Amino acid sequence: MAIEAGADALGFNFYADSKRFVALETERHWLEKVPDSVLRVAVVVNPTRDEAMRLLEEPFLDAIQLHGDETVDFAKALSSASEKMVIKALRVQNAESLRAVADFEEFPVLLDAFAGNERGGTGHTFDWNWIQAAPETERLLLSGGLTPENVATALRLTKLRYVDVASGVEENPRQKSAGEVRQFVAEVRKSAS
C-alpha cells in the first residue's frame, strides 16, 4: 500500500521496545518480498556491532537507521564494513542539538523530535526554525510529528527535501491508514514540484 502510494523508502523497526517492533525471525517471509524499488531500511536503537552487521548482511535490507546513542565511530565502522547506507537519527531538543549534524558529516541525518526516553514515532514536532542552525541541510531528513496536514508547511519552512513519517499516518502503531499515507505522499509531491 505504501509503495503504491508512492513511498520512496520503508522502515522496518527492529527495536524490541518499540510499539512498532517487527521480529525479523517471524516476519522474514514477507520482508524478503518487499521489492527493491524502494529503499528498505532497518530501524534500530543502540545495536551491538554484530547485531547491526547481521542486518546489513540481509539481502532484502538496503540501509540501517541508528536511533540510539550510537557514536560517529560506530557509524563509520558499519559504513566501512558494508556498502549499505547508514543513517543517523538525532533527537532534536533545541537549536543546539543540531550541532551534532556536523559530527555525522559522512551520513544522512534524520532529525526527530526529542520525547524523553521514547525513540521516534511519538507524534511530537520540534521548532522547524531551528534547522537554520544546522551546518548544512542537503543530507537531512525531517521527522517528528509530521502529518498530511503539516508536511507541506514543514517542507516550505525548512527547505528540506526528505521526510519520514510514522505516527502521523497511522490508525494504530502497527497499522498505517491507506488514505493518510496517500494524502501524505501527495502533499510531499506537491511541495517538491
Side-chain angles (χ1 to χ4, degrees), residues 50-91:
D50 288 346
E51 290 167 340
M53 286 308 302
R54 276 196 296 276
L55 289 170
L56 288 167
E57 289 165 1
E58 292 289 352
F60 56 87
L61 292 171
D62 305 307
I64 191 165
Q65 186 169 295
L66 307 172
H67 259 272
D69 304 310
E70 301 89 0
T71 65
V72 175
D73 289 340
F74 185 82
K76 285 181 179 178
L78 295 182
S79 184
S80 295
S82 171
E83 293 182 7
K84 295 185 179 177
M85 182 185 301
V86 176
I87 303 164
K88 177 59 180 140
L90 295 176
R91 300 189 311 153

Side-chain angles (χ1 to χ4, degrees), residues 130-147:
W130 293 340
I131 292 178
Q132 296 170 10
E136 56 90 12
T137 58
E138 188 60 32
R139 61 194 168 81
L140 299 183
L141 299 87
L142 182 62
S143 188
L146 296 175
T147 65

